[in-house]
Amino acid sequence: YGLNVTSINSINSINSSKNSNSDNSINSINRINRINSINSINSMEEHFLGFAFFYANSIAGELLPEKLNGDDYVLVSKDSWKLLKDWYGGGPAIERKMIIVGEAFRTTVEVYPLKLIIYKRKFDKVMFTMSRNDSVSDLKKFVAMKCSIPPHKINILLNRGSGDWIKVSDDTLNLDEAGFIDDTLIYGAGDPDLTAPMDNYSILTDSDSVASEEKSDSSSSSEEYQARKKYYQTNSTSKKHTTKPQSRYQPSSRTRANIERGVCGLSNLGNTCFMNSALQCLSNSGPLTEYFLAGKHKDEINKENPLGMGGKMAIGYSNLLKKMWKGNTSSVAPSDFKWVVGRFAPQFSGYRQHDSQELLAFLLDGLHEDLNLVLNKPYVEKIDSDGTDDASAASDAWDRHLLRNRSIIVDLFQGQLRSRLQCPIETCKKVSVTFDPYMYLSLPVPVSTHKFLDISVVPMNVEKPVCSYRMKVLKGTRMGEVRELFSELTGENEENFVLAEVSRGYITRIMTERLSIDQIRNNSSLYAYEVTNTDEEDTIHVRVLNRVEGRKTKYSTFYSVFGTPFIKIIPYIKNEFTSVDLYASFEETIRNLMTEEARNLDPEDVYDLYVVSMGTSKGKLVERSDEKNLRFIQSQTFAVTWKDKEYYQDIEREEIEHESMSLTKSKKEVTLDDCLGLYVSEEILGKNDEWYCPECKTHRQAAKKIDLWNTPEILVIHFKRFQATRGYRTKINTNIDFPITGLDLSKYVRHPTKTPIYDLFAVSNHSGGLGGGHYTAYGMNFMNKKWYSFNDSYVSNSVPQNSQTGGAYLLFYRLVGE
């Protein structure tokens, strides 16, 4: 496969030559008529008129990390790549293999091959890449060459960062099957009996103390080597000895005594905060953790279950819990556990950000199937009832469920839902009631269907005031419709203004018609800039910001943005517009921004124009006397770069408010009770979710009602904060008030087995937005009853009230009864 590495969001004209000022390299965005050439070069060069190109490492053929297919690059076949390259030139090609990964034998393109490290000595390491489908035999040949050991004598040890060195003995396995992940340390030894590298790293045992460090230099005698070897062999039968090389997985802190059991952080392996957050919450689920720590799972592992993972998930989770609850370390690296998860759920392999609820759902389901006591699952037919005898129908449905599912997860985490559907046809009114198990409740978050927009109108005449308007519009409304509504509100022709998003002195973007109001950033403001309404085609509007030269480094100069940005109309005539014309079109506007002192100076001593993509970067200077034709596009950004900030005077414009600003936004606090009420409320199914009515023999938009029939011992509540609207996702940051103790669900539970009163013991939090968010957790240690804050490897004392924020995502409650 060839990789065409481009920024998908509108970059359609890309040139691979660096520092080019030719016409072909000027316009690199929003031109859909023709691609100039394909760029796969490792650069973010600001070409003339200032566009940053997407990038790959063309020397090593390696993409920069965490780039997404469809967003940052495109996968194409070899034949397609050849055609594109023949048509448009550019390159170089970045070839990738199609491989098979995981227990499900899923085929995928290996965009990111394994990054491995040969560990020769403490300060002697060799980094290289191999495919996950390469065999252990292939790896041995490579390592043998690098370590100068005959291939038939080499002994491979691997370390995934958790501290344990594991011997790889089956040459027929591929690297994925053998347990290799990114940044795995590999030690090639000629001695088949060696269990760990022989260097001056400390030797850590499974006891609570740290063994004494043995120091040696590279010129150790053969006698010393034999003595050290004997030490390893003698002790390896009773104690596991491991080295602790510093890597991305292993924090520098050592094991130590006097740490509270369970008060243990989890190292971030690279965007694994989502996993760490879910694991910390589950770790503080007392009954489940006690079950694993007592070793009860060993007698219940079901290795024959085709829906399970051969016991590997249960064993991997148990091993991680033992490290976390041993009470001798402040943090551990869950790399071995992550490898197990990635083997059975390839979507969680690699180092992209994921959802903590999705990981939790996979983990609970995997543990259930690995510990399922039912060895041969019978076929069970789902039975509907008419709602006349719910108790009997629910009991029968639960018995049928237990015929296929019996595990500690079912005992602790699963409850039962009652679902009622009714045909809307008056002559039918068929009722169908089913009872289904659930492992967590995914609750909708009540949100307003409308949004308030504040828009400030900036007239062209600087003597006129800036007027602010407020509009109430439906969420999801496109900006094209907003323009029409705004035109009605102001009485102005919508062609007379340009709507723009402004933040910290930048016009960050022009609000095009297809953009939704939900895409407006929270820290931005909307401005309507008045422009000349002209029928001439040879005019364009550009964005303008003010800046001054700031901090300098050895290699770069940074600029400070200040003042008020604005929109400028330019009488642009293609192929007949030069730098001289550009400066002339700006002359009057910029002169109005000058102080009296600056107006008496030569303009060359006052300011220059740059074409930029970011105001803080240098950009491309527009030479005043350049007679070459310029080519640029609508919404191009220019920076008026002042030689001295004292030359600039920000015009103090009067600000007034339209009567529409009196519209006020109601601030009703959302509670967990509101979310539960919305969850159990009746709804009419949509067109795409119609129910097949067995009486009418056709699909109907039935009325659906869900109720809690009973609740489990451990109740997990998931807030549906992430929403997909018209092709893009948004996050609901509403603060939800939920009780810490005494959550009473009596009014929602139709048939409780015990009084459904719960106390909170853990919370998974998500802060930030969709692209750059971070997961943390709060949890109450079930042994010492103290609350802690878990932020990857960092753990601190806390109180449960700290978890009550707009970032609360998963709530964990335990049943306390009356």
Side-chain angles (χ1 to χ4, degrees):
Y1 275 72
L3 287 179
N4 171 13
V5 185
T6 72
S7 178
I8 300 307
N9 54 344
S10 302
I11 296 185
N12 293 300
S13 170
I14 302 177
N15 189 289
S16 61
S17 61
K18 297 175 72 175
N19 301 320
S20 170
N21 288 330
S22 65
D23 283 347
N24 283 340
S25 68
I26 290 176
N27 180 15
S28 302
I29 194 165
N30 286 339
R31 280 176 52 197
I32 60 174
N33 56 332
R34 178 173 174 80
I35 298 174
N36 282 338
S37 65
I38 301 167
N39 176 51
S40 301
I41 301 297
N42 183 18
S43 68
M44 285 194 70
E45 196 73 42
E46 285 195 323
H47 288 226
F48 187 45
L49 299 193
F51 292 100
F53 296 156
F54 235 90
Y55 39 92
N57 189 330
S58 59
I59 298 174
E62 180 180 323
L63 287 177
L64 293 181
E66 301 174 32
K67 300 306 170 189
L68 300 180
N69 182 23
D71 289 337
D72 303 322
Y73 62 83
V74 180
L75 295 170
V76 296
S77 67
K78 277 190 175 181
D79 291 340
S80 298
W81 170 262
K82 186 176 183 304
L83 284 173
L84 288 168
K85 194 170 186 302
D86 288 344
W87 291 340
Y88 306 115
I94 304 174
E95 296 188 6
R96 290 294 184 259
K97 296 179 180 179
M98 177 73 80
I99 63 171
I100 299 173
V101 295
E103 297 291 332
F105 302 105
R106 184 173 66 93
T107 57
T108 185
V109 177
E110 189 176 35
V111 176
Y112 292 99
L114 278 174
K115 294 185 293 184
L116 305 174
I117 306 168
I118 298 176
Y119 176 77
K120 299 172 75 174
R121 295 181 187 84
K122 183 173 181 179
F123 299 109
D124 188 2
K125 300 176 184 178
V126 178
M127 300 186 68
F128 66 104
T129 61
M130 291 189 76
S131 170
R132 289 166 178 79
N133 278 184
D134 285 340
S135 67
V136 172
S137 178
D138 295 331
L139 175 65
K140 281 189 172 183
K141 292 175 183 177
F142 183 84
V143 176
M145 176 186 67
K146 291 294 182 181
C147 296
S148 302
I149 300 173
H152 65 281
K153 290 186 177 182
I154 194 163
N155 172 31
I156 292 287
L157 304 173
L158 71 84
N159 188 319
R160 289 193 287 262
S162 60
D164 301 330
W165 288 90
I166 304 169
K167 184 175 180 179
V168 182
S169 55
D170 190 345
D171 290 6
T172 64
L173 296 176
N174 64 37
L175 299 186
D176 185 51
E177 294 167 334
F180 288 83
I181 61 176
D182 274 342
D183 291 347
T184 295
L185 289 175
I186 300 164
Y187 186 74
D191 184 348
D193 297 322
L194 200 62
T195 59
M198 300 292 293
D199 63 8
N200 60 349
Y201 266 61
S202 62
I203 310 300
L204 301 184
T205 72
D206 275 348
S207 66
D208 289 342
S209 61
V210 179
S212 60
E213 292 189 17
E214 297 186 64
K215 298 183 179 180
S216 65
D217 57 34
S218 59
S219 60
S220 298
S221 64
S222 59
E223 291 83 1
E224 182 182 1
Y225 173 84
Q226 293 299 328
R228 289 169 63 81
K229 174 181 172 183
K230 182 178 180 181
Y231 170 82
Y232 273 83
Q233 293 173 336
T234 302
N235 289 275
S236 61
T237 57
S238 59
K239 296 181 180 180
K240 179 185 290 185
H241 292 80
T242 63
T243 61
K244 295 281 184 178
Q246 288 184 345
S247 72
R248 66 180 291 180
Y249 304 112
Q250 185 60 43
S252 58
S253 60
R254 297 188 180 278
T255 57
R256 58 184 186 268
N258 302 321
I259 293 178
E260 293 275 9
R261 296 184 66 188
V263 185
C264 178
L266 294 170
S267 301
N268 193 318
L269 312 181
N271 278 331
T272 57
C273 57
F274 73 96
M275 181 180 74
N276 294 345
S277 176
L279 287 173
Q280 292 289 7
C281 292
L282 205 58
S283 169
N284 285 289
S285 303
L288 183 64
T289 296
E290 288 177 327
Y291 165 87
F292 277 104
L293 294 180
K296 295 180 181 179
H297 66 287
K298 295 177 182 178
D299 297 327
E300 299 184 356
I301 289 178
N302 184 348
K303 294 186 177 181
E304 307 303 320
N305 184 359
L307 299 179
M309 304 172 194
K312 294 178 182 176
M313 179 62 73
I315 294 170
Y317 182 66
S318 172
N319 290 339
L320 179 60
L321 282 181
K322 288 177 182 177
K323 293 177 181 178
M324 294 174 66
W325 288 85
K326 195 168 186 179
N328 70 337
T329 183
S330 60
S331 65
V332 298
S335 47
D336 289 341
F337 175 79
K338 183 183 183 302
W339 174 78
V340 174
V341 171
R343 285 288 296 154
F344 294 94
Q347 68 269 27
F348 293 119
S349 62
Y351 299 99
R352 294 178 183 172
Q353 182 65 277
H354 291 280
D355 188 296
S356 66
Q357 185 271 333
E358 292 176 1
L359 185 280
L360 178 71
F362 169 77
L363 176 55
L364 288 176
D365 188 62
L367 291 175
H368 160 63
E369 295 296 354
D370 268 5
L371 300 169
N372 198 341
L373 297 175
V374 179
L375 300 181
N376 297 302
K377 293 188 175 186
Y379 170 74
V380 176
E381 186 177 355
K382 187 174 182 179
I383 303 297
D384 288 0
S385 72
D386 58 6
T388 56
D389 188 359
D390 281 348
S392 177
S395 177
D396 182 55
W398 188 252
D399 290 341
R400 289 170 179 270
H401 176 62
L402 294 182
L403 289 175
R404 294 174 56 87
N405 304 278
R406 293 179 66 92
S407 72
I408 184 70
I409 302 300
V410 174
D411 296 343
L412 295 178
F413 289 89
Q414 290 193 0
Q416 207 171 11
L417 291 175
R418 177 185 186 272
S419 178
R420 182 182 186 274
L421 290 162
Q422 184 172 23
C423 180
I425 305 302
E426 288 293 333
T427 56
C428 177
K429 291 296 182 180
K430 167 67 178 176
V431 173
S432 172
V433 176
T434 57
F435 293 87
D436 302 295
Y438 68 91
M439 199 137 53
Y440 50 86
L441 296 177
S442 287
L443 304 184
V445 179
V447 292
S448 171
T449 57
H450 290 77
K451 186 172 183 176
F452 286 88
L453 291 183
D454 290 352
I455 304 176
S456 299
V457 176
V458 182
M460 292 180 63
N461 187 343
V462 295
E463 295 182 357
K464 290 185 177 181
V466 175
C467 185
S468 297
Y469 294 80
R470 179 168 291 168
M471 301 171 58
K472 183 180 180 181
V473 294
L474 281 170
K475 288 185 176 180
T477 301
R478 302 286 186 187
M479 292 307 298
E481 186 178 347
V482 170
R483 286 174 59 88
E484 295 176 3
L485 296 173
F486 190 63
S487 176
E488 294 176 8
L489 178 63
T490 61
E492 295 287 343
N493 189 325
E494 63 180 271
E495 300 299 325
N496 288 352
F497 55 80
V498 174
L499 280 177
E501 188 179 30
V502 178
S503 175
R504 293 180 295 179
Y506 293 85
I507 297 177
T508 52
R509 58 179 167 178
I510 302 298
M511 305 305 290
T512 58
E513 291 190 355
R514 291 194 58 79
L515 281 175
S516 164
I517 63 170
D518 297 334
Q519 293 173 276
I520 299 172
R521 300 173 181 89
N522 292 330
N523 60 346
S524 298
S525 302
L526 280 184
Y527 283 81
Y529 290 94
E530 185 183 9
V531 296
T532 304
N533 184 10
T534 175
D535 295 330
E536 297 180 25
E537 294 183 0
D538 297 326
T539 60
I540 65 173
H541 57 262
V542 297
R543 296 179 277 185
V544 187
L545 59 86
N546 297 283
R547 67 179 189 175
V548 68
E549 188 176 293
R551 181 172 59 90
K552 286 186 177 182
T553 66
K554 183 178 180 180
Y555 303 103
S556 303
T557 299
F558 296 91
Y559 293 82
S560 175
V561 177
F562 65 92
T564 305
F566 58 93
I567 298 287
K568 175 67 179 172
I569 304 297
I570 294 179
Y572 172 72
I573 302 176
K574 189 176 180 180
N575 297 326
E576 297 182 19
F577 195 79
T578 67
S579 297
V580 175
D581 298 323
L582 182 65
Y583 274 93
S585 67
F586 269 88
E587 183 177 356
E588 182 179 354
T589 302
I590 297 178
R591 185 172 177 80
N592 288 333
L593 299 175
M594 292 182 186
T595 61
E596 287 297 330
E597 176 190 1
R599 291 174 185 174
N600 295 323
L601 300 176
D602 189 321
E604 292 187 25
D605 297 327
V606 178
Y607 73 94
D608 288 315
L609 290 178
Y610 283 76
V611 182
V612 296
S613 57
M614 292 179 60
T616 55
S617 59
K618 184 174 182 179
K620 180 69 178 180
L621 173 65
V622 181
E623 299 287 351
R624 293 176 182 271
S625 59
D626 195 344
E627 294 293 338
K628 289 183 180 179
N629 291 328
L630 299 180
R631 294 173 60 190
F632 47 86
I633 59 172
Q634 291 278 12
S635 301
Q636 177 67 68
T637 300
F638 287 90
V640 180
T641 305
W642 297 83
K643 301 295 179 69
D644 192 320
K645 193 174 181 179
E646 298 299 321
Y647 293 155
Y648 171 86
Q649 63 170 359
D650 204 351
I651 301 172
E652 294 289 339
R653 302 185 67 162
E654 182 185 358
E655 295 184 8
I656 59 175
E657 292 185 351
H658 184 260
E659 60 184 16
S660 60
M661 291 296 291
S662 60
L663 287 173
T664 57
K665 181 178 176 182
S666 60
K667 293 185 178 180
K668 180 181 180 297
E669 185 179 49
V670 175
T671 66
L672 176 56
D673 196 56
D674 295 329
C675 299
L676 286 164
L678 189 59
Y679 179 75
V680 300
S681 62
E682 185 173 280
E683 62 174 331
I684 304 300
L685 298 181
K687 277 285 186 182
N688 296 328
D689 301 309
E690 290 182 331
W691 166 66
Y692 183 80
C693 176
E695 295 292 330
C696 298
K697 306 298 182 183
T698 189
H699 288 88
R700 300 293 190 190
Q701 287 183 263
K704 182 178 181 180
K705 175 78 164 64
I706 291 178
D707 290 294
L708 304 182
W709 184 251
N710 56 43
T711 54
E713 183 174 342
I714 296 176
L715 176 65
V716 180
I717 293 176
H718 162 231
F719 292 129
K720 297 167 72 172
R721 290 191 179 275
F722 302 108
Q723 293 185 332
T725 307
R726 297 188 182 182
Y728 61 90
R729 298 182 73 204
T730 58
K731 182 189 174 187
I732 302 171
N733 290 304
T734 302
N735 189 24
I736 302 171
D737 182 36
F738 51 88
I740 295 168
T741 59
L743 170 63
D744 190 351
L745 299 178
S746 298
K747 66 179 179 180
Y748 298 108
V749 182
R750 299 282 293 265
H751 192 269
T753 55
K754 295 181 181 179
T755 305
I757 297 178
Y758 288 82
D759 285 349
L760 185 75
F761 70 85
V763 179
S764 173
N765 283 275
H766 180 272
S767 58
L770 294 175
H774 180 58
Y775 285 94
T776 56
Y778 291 92
M780 185 186 73
N781 186 299
F782 66 86
M783 289 188 177
N784 64 20
K785 308 303 181 184
K786 296 178 182 178
W787 278 82
Y788 297 92
S789 169
F790 299 92
N791 186 355
D792 289 331
S793 59
Y794 301 99
V795 184
S796 59
N797 292 311
S798 188
V799 292
Q801 289 77 12
N802 290 342
S803 66
Q804 294 177 310
T805 69
Y809 188 48
L810 297 174
L811 308 182
F812 289 72
Y813 282 94
R814 61 183 178 86
L815 184 67
V816 295
E818 295 180 344

